[in-house]
Amino acid sequence: MGSLPSPPSPRAPSAASSGNSAANHRLWASFCPAKPTPNTRMTNWIAYYDLSNNSWNRIGFIPGLEENQILKGFAMVAVGESIFIIGGRLCRKEVVHESDEVNEVDIGVLATVYRYDIGNNLWSRCAPLGTPRFDFAYTVYDNKIYVAGGQCTSGSARGISSAELYNLDVDTWTPLPKMSTLRYKSGGVPWQGKIHVVGGFAEREDAGQPELYNMLRSSAEVFDPRRGEWDLVEGIWQLDIPPNQIVAVEGRLFSSGDCLNTWKGHIDVYDGQLNIWNVVNGSKVQNLSSLISTSDANMPIKMRYVSMAPIGTHLYFIAGYRMIGELGGSISVVHAFDTSARSDPWKSSEPIEEEMDKELCSHCCVVQVS
């Protein structure tokens, strides 16, 4: 692939377009085929969901990837009208002979950063990470991108403690002080003016006792940009399993559960005073299929993926379902939950039939269009 142009300065949303209307937003995500199939390009593509007309639109493939290379564990971040693809684990998929199983063969861990300028339909290569990493925490605060933890070696059982800050104006990554813990598969979220790296597989550098290890899993590393220091906050995440996603809506933290189990169809909210998570009133769905309108209501379904993003007072969920059976296909649905509603808070788009069984390779992000 030829060289890419230098990244222009990202455009922040204008004041005139700063409203919370969902119709002015798009949900972006990266997908890949679930398993190798004939005449299918096995690599990541980028697509966005247009809330104004309930449609998915592909814009192309992630640059820098060769045929049959898949990128996973990377950050997909939106700032202004730009999408950033940061780091990740490079692998390829192989079907095990005489079975239907798919193995992932690791190729390496990347430090590369690409930016997609939505308005100009242009990819450019940015300054690379100081440390290659995947499965790391990331978030945007004050128009800067923060990354922390993750893993830097494929197949390793340990995380890393390093953190970095990306300044979009000058296209540079600046090292931050190290966290007090090695941590990966954590959730990153800005809250109360600080960067929270919540949960994950965590341990001390000197690998302490198992009980300390479990305590660290429920803790958060909190970075104060004003002081330039990390603080360890205990007990902020109750599960011994890393969070799937944690986002902030109007000063409250919401979670979609853990990353190792299928989404249960409810949302949790954090009570900072009691330091506990509670199920949001009205968010429990007894049967996820009740949110989906299909041509065959009796056909069993299995959730393939889910990712959550906030827009105004709403939480939007990109969910993929696999219809079980010989003729079963895949459908994509966008569920919306109104955190401010007192009744009937769930709304869902009509499912969109897909031609292949696909896999979500990154959490979704939101871009507000002018």
Side-chain angles (χ1 to χ4, degrees):
M1 184 185 72
S3 60
L4 294 170
S6 300
S9 298
R11 295 174 292 175
S14 64
S17 64
S18 61
N20 287 327
S21 172
N24 295 330
H25 296 76
R26 292 173 178 172
L27 299 174
W28 289 76
S30 174
F31 301 91
C32 71
K35 64 180 180 180
T37 56
N39 303 319
T40 299
R41 181 173 176 178
M42 288 297 298
T43 192
N44 302 70
W45 70 84
I46 302 292
Y48 69 84
Y49 176 78
D50 192 331
L51 278 73
S52 66
N53 59 15
N54 186 34
S55 67
W56 277 102
N57 303 271
R58 287 198 195 188
I59 61 96
F61 298 95
I62 292 179
L65 302 182
E66 298 178 4
E67 177 63 27
N68 201 31
Q69 289 185 344
I70 301 292
L71 190 62
K72 290 192 168 185
F74 61 95
M76 187 171 182
V77 183
V79 184
E81 293 186 4
S82 295
I83 302 291
F84 291 84
I85 305 296
I86 304 171
R89 175 176 63 91
L90 194 63
C91 63
R92 68 175 182 271
K93 293 187 176 185
E94 296 180 350
V95 177
V96 179
H97 292 296
E98 299 180 357
S99 76
D100 198 35
E101 296 181 357
V102 177
N103 281 343
E104 292 184 359
V105 179
D106 289 324
I107 299 174
V109 182
L110 304 184
T112 53
V113 179
Y114 290 98
R115 171 183 170 254
Y116 177 65
D117 182 343
I118 297 172
N120 295 315
N121 188 28
L122 176 68
W123 283 100
S124 55
R125 189 160 181 166
C126 303
L129 290 163
T131 301
R133 65 183 78 216
F134 68 98
D135 283 348
F136 53 93
Y138 58 90
T139 193
V140 177
Y141 178 71
D142 195 24
N143 214 44
K144 297 178 176 65
I145 301 174
Y146 290 78
V147 302
Q151 294 179 290
C152 61
T153 304
S154 300
S156 172
R158 306 192 80 187
I160 58 177
S161 59
S162 70
E164 307 178 51
L165 168 67
Y166 181 65
N167 189 321
L168 286 70
D169 295 330
V170 294
D171 184 34
T172 57
W173 288 92
T174 302
L176 297 175
K178 289 185 177 181
M179 298 184 293
S180 64
T181 52
L182 308 176
R183 194 178 292 257
Y184 68 98
K185 282 192 177 295
S186 304
V189 59
W191 188 51
Q192 298 181 341
K194 300 178 182 180
I195 308 303
H196 288 65
V197 177
V198 182
F201 297 114
E203 60 178 317
R204 296 288 190 186
E205 188 93 37
D206 56 1
Q209 293 82 10
E211 58 268 19
L212 177 62
Y213 178 75
N214 291 334
M215 180 276 290
L216 291 174
R217 282 191 179 187
S218 64
S219 68
E221 295 270 4
V222 181
F223 182 75
D224 188 336
R226 293 170 297 180
R227 294 190 293 116
E229 297 177 354
W230 291 96
D231 297 303
L232 184 67
V233 179
E234 299 180 6
I236 197 172
W237 179 249
Q238 294 168 304
L239 299 179
D240 190 35
I241 301 174
N244 181 32
Q245 280 179 279
I246 298 175
V247 300
V249 176
E250 297 190 331
R252 296 190 295 167
L253 293 181
F254 293 87
S255 164
S256 59
D258 66 82
C259 71
L260 299 184
N261 295 296
T262 303
W263 181 47
K264 301 299 191 299
H266 70 263
I267 304 164
D268 297 313
V269 63
Y270 180 64
D271 186 327
Q273 293 183 338
L274 298 178
N275 204 31
I276 60 174
W277 290 85
N278 298 309
V279 176
V280 177
N281 290 336
S283 71
K284 275 192 173 181
V285 179
Q286 298 301 322
N287 184 357
L288 283 174
S289 62
S290 65
L291 293 177
I292 306 173
S293 174
T294 65
S295 58
D296 186 352
N298 296 319
M299 180 176 288
I301 62 172
K302 179 180 180 181
M303 176 167 282
R304 295 284 285 122
Y305 56 80
V306 67
S307 183
M308 171 179 68
I311 301 177
T313 62
H314 288 69
L315 294 173
Y316 283 84
F317 293 80
I318 293 179
Y321 300 89
R322 178 70 175 169
M323 312 301 288
I324 301 174
E326 293 183 2
L327 300 179
S330 295
I331 57 175
S332 294
V333 184
V334 175
H335 307 300
F337 181 85
D338 188 351
T339 62
S340 65
R342 295 185 177 181
S343 62
D344 195 23
W346 284 106
K347 303 292 182 184
S348 298
S349 71
E350 288 299 315
I352 304 167
E353 298 296 336
E354 302 291 342
E355 296 179 355
M356 69 174 74
D357 189 14
K358 64 184 181 182
E359 181 179 354
L360 183 69
C361 298
S362 72
H363 284 306
C364 62
C365 61
V366 178
V367 173
Q368 185 173 337
V369 294
S370 55

